[in-house]
Amino acid sequence: NFMLTQTHSVSESPGKTVTISCSGRSGSIASNYVQWYQQRPGSAPTTVIYENNQRPSGVPDRFSGSIDRSSNSASLTISGLKTEDEADYYCQSFDLNNWVFGGGTKLTVL
Amino acid sequence: EVQVVESGGGLVKPGGSLRLSCAASAFTFSSYSVIWVRRFPGKGLEWVSSTSTTGTYKHYADSVKGRFSISRDNAKNSVYLQMDSLRADDTAVYYCARTSGYLTDVWGQGTTVTVS
């Protein structure tokens, strides 16, 4: 079964840039689109990236997504970090008709 | 306001049942697929189930297959998740969301299910 693996946590200072990675296991990350979700404590998830690199309406262009076929991984990059970006971030793709989530990365902005 | 609102969560004993509802408003509900996703306490997200626009296609995570059933009533702008044979490891916050293609753009605030 296709799986997505994420680093458990990452921290960075306000104003800096951080990249969160998502590695594909038992399959190619490029076989289907990757989405990224943000979940702040006590809140519902929201979508920050869909179709590898598309931003939904209202998501600032500080958020960007990409795919690297050579490393079989996807990345979410957040530039100009703000304290409000502190949250859990999840990558997501598909295994046939099943949605597959990564384990999540906790971003601390301090 | 475009929104989906979950209800029906609560405390139930192992082996019991619950029926979650997801009520949509202010958009053409029948044009969207709907998913259920859960977040375990202190852990990550897990996809639970999804239904197509007409309810023809339904898919389930292996962890709930045979125990959970998803349905929708487009006339009532609602999706339901019937959860039977509940186990302690089903304890989570359950979210519904609308999805179109690869974009999931409206999420509910969640309903808490505790199996104990």
Side-chain angles (χ1 to χ4, degrees):
Chain A
N1 289 352
F2 183 62
M3 296 175 59
L4 296 170
T5 302
Q6 298 180 240
T7 303
H8 182 65
S9 63
V10 63
S11 61
E12 189 51 271
S13 304
K16 300 291 190 180
T17 296
V18 70
T19 297
I20 297 171
S21 295
C22 170
S23 296
R25 298 282 184 264
S26 301
S28 171
I29 197 88
S31 294
N32 220 316
Y33 285 121
V34 174
Q35 286 59 239
W36 290 90
Y37 305 95
Q38 175 193 70
Q39 187 171 30
R40 296 188 177 106
S43 297
T46 62
T47 304
V48 293
I49 293 290
Y50 70 105
E51 291 182 3
N52 295 341
N53 55 19
Q54 301 299 301
R55 283 186 307 277
S57 173
V59 174
D61 59 7
R62 300 186 298 106
F63 290 81
S64 62
S66 63
I67 293 291
D68 183 346
R69 287 175 169 78
S70 65
S71 62
N72 203 34
S73 65
S75 295
L76 171 69
T77 299
I78 310 171
S79 60
L81 274 170
K82 301 183 177 183
T83 55
E84 68 202 46
D85 298 330
E86 186 161 292
D88 294 325
Y89 291 85
Y90 297 88
C91 58
Q92 176 266 316
S93 190
F94 295 89
D95 184 8
L96 297 179
N97 293 305
N98 296 339
W99 293 52
V100 178
F101 283 93
T105 297
K106 181 177 180 58
L107 171 62
T108 301
V109 182
L110 42 66
Chain B
E1 179 188 359
V2 171
Q3 63 179 355
V4 293
V5 178
E6 305 93 337
S7 62
L11 174 64
V12 63
K13 295 186 184 301
S17 297
L18 277 177
R19 188 194 196 208
L20 304 185
S21 297
C22 172
S25 56
F27 65 93
T28 305
F29 180 68
S30 60
S31 295
Y32 291 86
S33 298
V34 174
I35 62 169
W36 286 96
V37 170
R38 62 186 177 182
R39 179 159 189 177
F40 300 108
K43 297 185 179 179
L45 296 176
E46 180 184 68
W47 166 75
V48 175
S49 182
S50 53
T51 178
S52 59
T53 55
T54 61
T56 300
Y57 301 103
K58 305 174 185 181
H59 303 287
Y60 302 93
D62 287 345
S63 57
V64 307
K65 203 170 291 183
R67 300 187 299 122
F68 290 13
S69 177
I70 193 170
S71 62
R72 68 186 294 163
D73 184 340
N74 285 344
K76 295 183 177 180
N77 291 341
S78 294
V79 167
Y80 308 99
L81 186 68
Q82 177 66 40
M83 306 189 297
D84 298 324
S85 303
L86 283 162
R87 310 185 305 221
D89 62 2
D90 293 315
T91 295
V93 178
Y94 286 72
Y95 300 96
C96 71
R98 80 172 192 183
T99 184
S100 179
Y102 293 94
L103 175 58
T104 304
D105 64 345
V106 178
W107 295 76
Q109 284 305 303
T111 187
T112 299
V113 172
T114 303
V115 185
S116 177

